[in-house]
Structure formats: C-alpha cells, structure tokens
Amino acid sequence: MNCGNMQANGEEQDRDSELSCRNGAQNGESSSVGAAHSNGLLSVTNNGNAVSNNNGVPAQPVSNNNSTSDTNSGVKKKKRLSQSEEDVIRLIGQHLNDLGLNQTVDLLMQESGCRLEHPSATKFRNHVIEGEWDKAESDLNELKALMHSPSAIVRMKFLLLQQKYLEYLEDGKVLEALQVLRAELTPLKYNTERIHILSGYLMCSHADDLRAKAEWEGKGTVSRTKLLDKLQTYLPPSVMLPPRRLQTLLKQAVELQRERCLYHNTKLDSGLDTVSLLLDHACSRKQFPCYTQQILTEHCNEVWFCKFSNNGTKLATGSKDTTVIVWQVDMETQQLKLMKTLEGHAYGVSYLAWSPDDTYLIACGPDDCSELWLWNIQTGELRTKMSQSHEDSLTSVAWNPDGKRFVTGGQRGQFYQCDLDGNLLDSWEGVRVQCLWCLTDGRTVLASDTHQRIRGYNFEDLTDRNIVQEDHPIMSFTVSKNGRLALLNVATQGVHLWDLQDRVLVRKYQGVTQGFYTIHSCFGGHNEDFIASGSEDHKVYIWHRRSELPIAELTGHTRTVNCVSWNPVLPGLLASASDDGTVRIWGPAPFLDVQDAEGLNECCSMDS
C-alpha cells in the first residue's frame, strides 16, 4: 500500500520521506490504498456518517463532541509513530487482509500513514497470484534494488519459471513448457539437478500423474500462494511481510509460556484454537501427579524396584519377599489391579526390564545372586532361568532394541550378551558392572562400573570408550528415549544429568538425600520434561528438567524410596517403591469442588 506522496515507480524512499508522507495522510491528505478499489476511492462508515475520498481530501466526519475534543484529536493524529508501532500496524493489517477485511485494512493504512508493503511488492504479489509470469518476472527488476542479496533474484526467477513450466504442462501445452525449460530455466545455470527432474515430468501422461510426481497442488491459488511464501523469504520484511506473521508471533509466545510453565504436562499443541490469547498460560500443581491415588500393599517385605511396561498398560514390582507382581493398569480410570504374581526368586528381586514389545520381563537379584529369570508375561511361564556360574553376580540387565538379545552383568566382573534361551553370545572380561543400558543403534551398550564412570561397549567390533566420568560411585542410571541424555544417581551427591553426545554434565538436581543405597530415578511426562527420584529421606522428588530445584516433594512413604517409574503413555501417572513394603501410585488431585477446578488457572508455583 502506498502513501499519498510516495513515488509510484516503486523506488524506496528514506525514513524522513515516509514520515512526511505519513504526516500528510494524518493531516487529512489522501493516502492511496493500492489496487484494492478499482476507482481509487475509499468509502467507510464512522458512527453512521459517510467518509469519502472523492477528490483526495477526506470529508470531515460529523462529530458529537465539542471543538476542544476535535482539536485534541487533531494533535494526537500528528504524533509520529515509532518503528515498533509501525510494525504492529502492519502486522494487524496483514492479519485483517488474510481475513478478507480489505476495506478495514485500507482505512487503517490511510489513517496511520503506514503501508502494508512496498508498492512493487504489491504488484509482484498480484501478478504471481494471477499467473502473469512475464509481468512477475519484470517486477523482479524493480525489487532487485530493494533486496539485501541481489543474487537471490536468480533463485526467485527459478521458482517463478518452475511454476510457469508446471502450469504449461498441466494445461497440455508441452511445446510451451519445453520452451520455458530450454530457453528460460536452463540458461539460468542454477540447480541443474532440479532441471533434470523437471524435464522428466514431460513424460507424465495426465495432470494427476504430474501433480503426484511433482508433489504439487496444481495450477491455481493454492500452489501460487505456496510459491509466494517461498519467494517472500528472499525479500526484506520492510518490502513484504513474511506470511501470517502475527499468527507466528502469537504461536511463539504461547509456546514460550508453556515451556516456562513448571507443571505443563500435556501434549504440546502448536495451534492457537485450543488456547485463550487473553490470559497467560498457567498450569496448576493440582494437574500434576503429586497426590496418592493408590497404595499397593500386596508385597510383604521391602519393594526394591518398579517399572511400567513400554505401552503403559502394566506395572511390574520386585521385592525382597522373592516375588515379582505384575499389575494391570486401567488406561481409563488409571487404577491398578493385581494381574500375576511370579514367584521363586530366592534372593529377592532388585531389578526388572521389559522387552521392547512387553512380551517378556527379566528379573535380577541383589549382589549375591548369580541367577536371572526371563518370564513370558502373556502366559505367566518362566521361559529361561540363566546362570553361567555360581560365582557370578547378575544384578543388572538391558534389552537390545531388536528384542532378541539382552546384556547382563554384575560387580564381580561378568558382562554377557545372551539370547532369549540364555545362551551366551558374547562376553566382556573384567568389567565390574553396576548398571546397563542398550542404545537404539543396536550395537552400543552403556555400562556404569566400579571406576565411577560410564563407558560405551560395542559388541560387534569389540571397542569401548569412556563417556561419563564422575568423582563418586554411580549407583544407577537411565537414558532418555532419544538417547541423548543420561540421568545418574551418584553416591552422596544426588541426581546428575549428563549430555551423552557432548559428554558434559548438564545439571545437578538439589534436595534429594542419596547415600550408598541404590536408588533409581527416571525421566517422565510429555516430552520427558520431568525427572523423578526416590530418596533416603522417604520422599519422592520431582524436578522440571531445566530447573535444579524440585517443583514437588511427595510425602507418604515411611522408609527409603528405592525406585520411581513414570508411565510412558499416561503422563499423569507415577509409581514409587519403598522399603516400607508399599508401592504408591501418584496422580493429579481429584476435583473436590468448583473452587478446585478454578484452581487450574493458578500460576505455577515452586511450593510443594
């Protein structure tokens, strides 16, 4: 859109010229509004009174206010707009334009003295949408002087000609398309690989075949609008705004608020239709798994481990009482009920691992246990009871992603890779294993050892390398789903977060009491944004991954909490196992009354 005194040839004037132009419009002089109205006139209604632009001087609206108000209003109109105010007006104008409120946009630009985009950009936009390719190509010469990178003209020209070529092909004008390819696209000497692909489209038998192979929407507004979006990226925003810029900024604001919300634990929805823009985003602690939903008391001794299945439908718990109990999770009510009890683990059960498809469950015992049990959970039958030697200590296990192999080891120097029948496939001598994890590449096994480190072992080429080095014993560790982060419980230090790729310590989480007991922590919540850990002070601690201070301390257990597990499918469900013989299931607060429901709009708090 162009202001009253702006040159029509599309050359960009300096800021002073724009300001004088703007002030001219604000003093009642005519401000051109581009080609939106064919007669160049603007007609709107102001409190029922017509405002006309018949001869370049707007008719004065009839006012019910006194002359003093008119004078004050006139003074306000002469105020020069700041750059940010101009930007906001342009953003609003673009949004209104996308909604089809063109007359409103024209009036906004006239009254503010701003322009939505450079006149040359407006011409270019119209010619692209109308498919007038020769004119659009000519417009590029005007835009060239306004661009930061004149070399981008070649790329823009290529995109225009590509659309022109495809539209000729769709219309069945093969000779014209061939002419574009040979005489216009090829001489650009740009992206010859793409030109070869385009030439192949000449063989398409019909329009549907062309659209499918070119992954193109076909001739029309949709494909031309997409083309414009690509072309705009080469133009400065002062010339043409990026498409849907206001919505982009609003989405970014909403996403940032969600990221900063300590208790946000629902799937991230990038759309704006599901949120209110009139209020800041805030999740309440009452939506978070901080409240005891169930206390499972079927074990009759210390509970050393708990782990949800990968599909979230089951929970396995291991105890000093020599049993494993498998619980069924009702995915609707999020209540658990006893499904199976697996018996006969003479030394007790201190570690459990679900196979990737949740068909099998492996159970390990404490340091003096040389046996490993592999259960078929669907049938409840023991498939394999493995023991290589009575001298072994098999205290940890991890599944290969293929579900056909697993690795196991212990602190007496055993480190084996086995199949489902317990047959030894590979072994690594002299590695005193504390905890194990298989990475998704199917080759690398991470093992924490008695040298206060985590090393990566490759069973295929028999290489190993140091990844993490701590100053104190690593009692246990777990790895995020994407394989990037490791969460360590370090003796006397607490919970540490490491970046495995960069091999750096990212964060030390505060609050937890960690001595020399083996305590297992976990990632959890949507996008694994949260971290939970047991503690020797009988509590469960929860942190946001980015914050060192706990956002919740869950009380209820009466002895050390050995292990926590976050349901991978239900982000509001958390389990904890304790030496007090119980397993607690934590979930959101039940809504007791209207006031509780309204509490969901409370601001996030660090209080627990």
Side-chain angles (χ1 to χ4, degrees), residues 196-238:
H196 287 312
I197 294 170
L198 291 173
S199 65
Y201 298 152
L202 286 163
M203 307 303 293
C204 292
S205 54
H206 50 78
D208 289 340
D209 188 27
L210 171 67
R211 287 192 288 266
K213 285 184 177 173
E215 297 179 351
W216 178 61
E217 293 77 8
K219 180 179 178 179
T221 307
V222 175
S223 65
R224 291 172 183 174
T225 301
K226 281 194 172 182
L227 171 64
L228 257 179
D229 289 352
K230 290 179 185 174
L231 292 167
Q232 185 282 322
T233 60
Y234 298 105
L235 294 170
S238 58

Side-chain angles (χ1 to χ4, degrees), residues 306-517:
C306 62
K307 185 72 174 178
F308 280 107
S309 59
N310 298 294
N311 62 13
T313 62
K314 298 175 186 68
L315 174 73
T317 56
S319 170
K320 187 178 180 180
D321 67 8
T322 73
T323 68
V324 172
I325 299 180
V326 180
W327 310 82
Q328 185 72 45
V329 181
D330 187 314
M331 303 300 277
E332 295 297 322
T333 65
Q334 300 190 13
Q335 293 289 300
L336 278 71
K337 63 180 181 181
L338 193 149
M339 177 182 158
K340 285 186 178 74
T341 301
L342 310 175
E343 299 176 331
H345 308 86
Y347 297 88
V349 178
S350 61
Y351 197 86
L352 296 164
W354 290 91
S355 64
D357 64 358
D358 295 326
T359 300
Y360 298 105
L361 181 72
I362 294 179
C364 296
D367 287 344
D368 50 355
C369 178
S370 62
E371 298 172 328
L372 173 150
W373 292 261
L374 193 157
W375 295 91
N376 186 320
I377 296 302
Q378 294 175 344
T379 64
E381 295 174 352
L382 180 66
R383 169 158 179 172
T384 305
K385 182 179 178 182
M386 185 193 116
S387 179
Q388 293 294 324
S389 163
H390 292 299
E391 303 297 319
D392 285 356
S393 168
L394 302 181
T395 58
S396 186
V397 67
W399 284 89
N400 188 287
D402 65 11
K404 298 174 182 177
R405 296 169 287 163
F406 61 86
V407 290
T408 183
Q411 290 199 2
R412 295 179 185 170
Q414 295 77 39
F415 189 11
Y416 304 130
Q417 181 169 229
C418 308
D419 64 16
L420 297 183
D421 296 317
N423 298 316
L424 194 63
L425 302 177
D426 297 289
S427 67
W428 212 290
E429 295 297 326
V431 181
R432 297 180 182 274
V433 173
Q434 178 71 25
C435 193
L436 292 165
W437 194 274
C438 288
L439 294 184
T440 53
D441 63 8
R443 299 187 303 273
T444 308
V445 178
L446 302 184
S448 61
D449 57 29
T450 52
H451 297 286
Q452 306 168 3
R453 64 191 179 182
I454 295 176
R455 291 177 66 79
Y457 296 87
N458 188 317
F459 273 94
E460 289 186 4
D461 57 18
L462 300 179
T463 58
D464 60 324
R465 61 195 177 98
N466 216 41
I467 296 177
V468 168
Q469 181 67 60
E470 283 277 1
D471 297 326
H472 297 81
I474 300 169
M475 306 307 293
S476 69
F477 75 94
T478 186
V479 177
S480 61
K481 287 178 182 175
N482 62 11
R484 179 73 188 258
L485 301 171
L487 194 61
L488 285 59
N489 283 73
V490 184
T492 71
Q493 302 302 298
V495 181
H496 291 180
L497 182 69
W498 280 78
D499 185 314
L500 296 176
Q501 185 172 310
D502 295 339
R503 304 186 197 181
V504 293
L505 177 62
V506 177
R507 198 158 285 114
K508 296 181 179 181
Y509 296 101
Q510 300 178 21
V512 69
T513 303
Q514 168 83 59
F516 287 90
Y517 282 106

